[in-house]
Amino acid sequence: MAVKQALNIVKLKKMKQEGQPITMITAYDYPSAKLAEEAGIDVLLIGDSLGNVVLGYDSTIPVTTEDIVYHTRAVARGAQHTFIVADLPFMTYHGGIDETLRTVRRIMQEGHAHAVKMEGGAEIADTVRAIVQAGVPVLGHIGLTPQSVNQIGGYRVQGKDERDARRLLADAKALEQAGVFGIVLELVTEEVAGAITSEIGVPTIGIGAGRKVDGQVLVFHDVLKYDPDYREKRFVKTYADIGSEIRKGIAAYVNEVKDRAFPAERHVFAAEEGVLESLYGPGKAGLRS
């Protein structure tokens, strides 16, 4: 098998220009990253969604820089030939630029990411520009921004009216001017997402943003229904029910151990003849439990 060549920001922009859809999925550990790479994914995202689907939080807000670094490092080991983007956690890029750059440096140096993702629009453009000027590619994220869910009043679709549409377009243009290599559009109406895609020169990656974007991203655990608390989402399509298979497999293991069906003869190892006699003495081999 030929070695897969990792994409970069130049190739991603070329994909937009040529009309080639971009595929992105989240990953949080070595096996999921390795499997996604082998499946041919274009971009892996260590999203702060790991707070919900891996760490058991009810939002992304508790996720720390240490969490992102740890999981990004594992993903980088599993997918050495795939472009890797890592989220900047909640409130790590709203203070001084020096503090922000320290966080970015940790994610790039210790986590081995190729780029970082930031939620927000025009209000973070100056910070984006500073990070890009420091040599780090930035992926923008507008629309529904989970880190700001308490401020925007819940998980609501964005871009339903003219005022909101204009705001989203202005945010997208501000991010493009600041130097992002692409923008995630989350829970944005299809019409507005399409208008933004046609108005800017960098790729748009949609999640719940319809069919007129340059690519799609979904959460690994949603695609595979690999979440004990999985809830159906209108904008998600599941391609396998791994969660049910895992439950069945573990339940079967529990039952076989309870029934003493496992281990079976083929699962055990035999000692050399005479070993028990040497341990317990002649004629006492039957003492073994």
Side-chain angles (χ1 to χ4, degrees):
M1 182 184 297
V3 175
K4 177 177 177 284
Q5 296 297 312
L7 293 175
N8 54 45
I9 61 176
V10 175
K11 292 179 181 177
L12 287 167
K13 187 172 183 179
K14 185 178 180 182
M15 290 177 74
K16 174 186 177 78
Q17 294 168 345
E18 295 178 349
Q20 299 180 40
I22 298 165
T23 60
M24 180 187 292
I25 195 169
T26 64
Y28 313 102
D29 56 28
Y30 175 90
S32 62
K34 190 170 180 64
L35 291 170
E37 178 172 273
E38 291 174 353
I41 204 74
D42 292 322
V43 182
L44 286 172
L45 171 65
I46 298 82
D48 55 9
S49 51
L50 74 90
N52 304 87
V53 298
V54 175
L55 302 180
Y57 299 134
D58 60 4
S59 75
T60 64
I61 292 174
V63 175
T64 66
T65 300
E66 285 70 24
D67 293 330
I68 294 292
V69 169
Y70 177 87
H71 288 272
T72 303
R73 189 163 54 232
V75 168
R77 287 194 294 267
Q80 299 181 25
H81 306 287
T82 301
F83 192 72
I84 295 172
V85 182
D87 265 339
L88 289 185
F90 176 71
M91 290 298 291
T92 58
Y93 49 97
H94 294 84
I97 190 60
D98 289 342
E99 180 183 354
T100 298
L101 291 176
R102 280 194 292 270
T103 300
V104 172
R105 182 181 63 192
R106 287 199 62 195
I107 291 172
M108 302 295 286
Q109 287 186 333
E110 300 175 34
H112 306 294
H114 301 121
V116 296
K117 181 170 76 65
M118 302 168 63
E119 295 183 9
E123 75 279 4
I124 65 165
D126 288 341
T127 305
V128 169
R129 186 174 294 106
I131 295 172
V132 172
Q133 289 175 348
V136 177
V138 175
L139 178 64
H141 182 159
I142 61 175
L144 174 69
T145 47
Q147 291 179 9
S148 305
V149 68
N150 293 324
Q151 183 185 36
I152 62 179
Y155 296 91
R156 299 184 299 107
V157 176
Q158 308 291 299
K160 284 189 170 184
D161 57 41
E162 181 181 352
R163 180 180 179 182
D164 207 29
R166 290 184 180 277
R167 175 186 63 83
L168 289 168
L169 181 57
D171 281 341
K173 289 184 174 181
L175 290 174
E176 181 180 24
Q177 291 170 4
V180 298
F181 69 86
I183 301 175
V184 170
L185 303 176
E186 181 168 359
L187 279 190
V188 175
T189 58
E190 184 173 67
E191 297 84 357
V192 173
I196 291 172
T197 300
S198 64
E199 286 285 329
I200 63 175
V202 297
T204 56
I205 311 294
I207 176 167
R211 299 158 290 184
K212 299 177 181 179
V213 290
D214 298 308
Q216 300 290 336
V217 58
L218 284 176
V219 171
F220 185 93
H221 293 60
D222 287 345
V223 170
L224 301 177
K225 217 168 188 179
Y226 179 30
D227 184 348
D229 302 314
Y230 180 80
R231 292 177 296 173
E232 296 289 340
K233 305 176 184 69
R234 177 176 174 178
F235 59 91
V236 170
K237 179 178 179 179
T238 58
Y239 290 82
D241 188 353
I242 301 302
S244 293
E245 292 303 310
I246 290 174
R247 289 189 197 92
K248 290 177 185 176
I250 295 175
Y253 163 68
V254 169
N255 291 334
E256 287 202 0
V257 171
K258 295 291 186 181
D259 295 339
R260 297 191 181 279
F262 176 82
E265 182 69 26
R266 66 180 183 276
H267 302 122
V268 302
F269 306 94
E272 294 179 357
E273 187 175 352
V275 168
L276 290 181
E277 285 77 2
S278 70
L279 291 174
Y280 299 106
K284 296 183 179 180
L287 293 176
R288 69 187 188 277
S289 59

